[in-house]
Amino acid sequence: MKETTMNLRRKLGQITLKLILALPLALGAQAQAQENVSLRLNWYLGGLHVPFYYGVDRGFYKQEGINLTINEGRGSANTVQVVGAGTDTFGLADSSSIINLVSKGGEIKSVMNILSSTGFSVVSAASGARTAKAVSNACAINAIVNSAIAEYTK
């Protein structure tokens, strides 16, 4: 029984030693195999974009084998077109721009939601809608106009 235990420990020690010796080679290979990836922002640099730049600055992406290039955007519609064309790997865009491109046959997927709400709001000029009914009518007109525009631009 002692001999079996000794053989088992010896084999286990040899395997452990081989793993320890192979670890630097594996880590070196990982460090060399940086995948080039690009991220197209939805607009010019703003507060929403800081975490991406922070990750690059701190080397978080490099630690994961990613060589990230961040490109400024010119609006979500442009971002989804650029990503859909394959010019950039990923993009930060609003859902309506993604839906619009897909509805026209574009091949793009939304893989993550960053904001659960947007900064959009219903606004009115001082002389504009002052009642809920007026706002409701304005929203209905806006929906009809947007539908017509979407249909016209197909």
Side-chain angles (χ1 to χ4, degrees):
M1 176 121 172
K2 272 189 169 182
E3 189 175 315
T4 306
T5 305
M6 290 281 266
N7 284 340
L8 185 58
R9 284 185 184 171
R10 185 176 301 145
K11 286 182 182 179
L12 186 57
Q14 289 172 348
I15 291 170
T16 303
L17 181 62
K18 287 178 183 177
L19 287 173
I20 290 170
L21 293 174
L23 189 60
L25 295 174
L27 292 176
Q30 181 185 2
Q32 291 173 3
Q34 293 283 313
E35 183 176 356
N36 292 324
V37 173
S38 61
L39 171 67
R40 176 71 58 168
L41 301 177
N42 57 335
W43 200 242
Y44 300 106
L45 176 62
L48 175 65
H49 309 126
V50 170
F52 300 112
Y53 285 98
Y54 182 78
V56 170
D57 184 60
R58 295 295 183 168
F60 297 152
Y61 300 105
K62 290 233 185 259
Q63 290 172 9
E64 299 300 323
I66 299 168
N67 181 29
L68 179 65
T69 301
I70 302 174
N71 299 312
E72 274 191 335
R74 302 288 184 263
S76 290
N78 178 263
T79 296
V80 297
Q81 290 172 352
V82 169
V83 173
T87 305
D88 281 304
T89 315
F90 298 100
L92 181 63
D94 62 57
S95 299
S96 59
S97 296
I98 297 166
I99 292 167
N100 190 34
L101 183 71
V102 170
S103 73
K104 294 176 182 177
E107 294 195 21
I108 192 169
K109 290 186 172 133
S110 178
V111 296
M112 184 176 84
N113 182 35
I114 294 178
L115 300 173
S116 59
S117 63
T118 68
F120 295 111
S121 61
V122 176
V123 296
S124 173
S127 63
R130 295 180 185 267
T131 66
K133 177 79 171 144
V135 171
S136 175
N137 290 342
C139 290
I141 291 168
N142 186 38
I144 293 167
V145 169
N146 282 337
S147 295
I149 291 170
E151 191 64 35
Y152 179 75
T153 57
K154 278 187 177 176

